[in-house]
Amino acid sequence: MTGPLPALHARAAELDALLARLEADEGSVRADRADATADDEHDPEGSTLSGEWQRIEAIRRAAASERAEVDAALARVEAGTYGICVVCGESIAPARLEARPFATTCIVCAA
């Protein structure tokens, strides 16, 4: 593969793995919450299960959002519009695409 595809596919795989781990972590928290003896609200030694659940959910939302951006970038590659700013229609600098392969705007429009 050449161009942006290797980076986009690699990031998609990383995000898929992260989302799978987060799903497993969420399952573990759900199991712990179901345990009638869990009194996490009064445990001075750590975060509450509710707090942990919120942390996992926030990370999951961010990863899912980034995964959607990667999918959109792959669609732009397929459509032949990858690397073109969606605002001004100019080319996105290669350095920007290297740093953020799913960028949709050039540096000027992003500012």
Side-chain angles (χ1 to χ4, degrees), residues 13 66 69 71 94 111:
E66 185 177 342
E69 289 182 84
D71 287 342

Side-chain angles (χ1 to χ4, degrees), residues 9-80:
H9 285 296
R11 187 61 183 151
E14 291 170 2
L15 290 166
D16 289 343
L18 174 60
L19 288 165
R21 283 193 310 273
L22 291 169
E23 188 171 322
D25 289 349
E26 184 178 8
S28 178
V29 170
R30 283 183 191 271
D32 288 346
R33 284 185 66 118
D35 182 4
T37 62
D39 184 15
D40 73 318
E41 298 299 325
H42 299 98
D43 180 5
E45 296 300 317
S47 65
T48 66
L49 291 175
S50 296
E52 185 64 13
W53 197 338
Q54 289 174 345
R55 184 191 69 80
I56 291 168
E57 179 58 20
I59 295 169
R60 188 202 62 76
R61 277 193 313 268
S65 176
E66 185 177 342
R67 184 61 168 93
E69 289 182 84
V70 170
D71 287 342
L74 289 168
R76 288 191 303 279
V77 170
E78 181 87 14

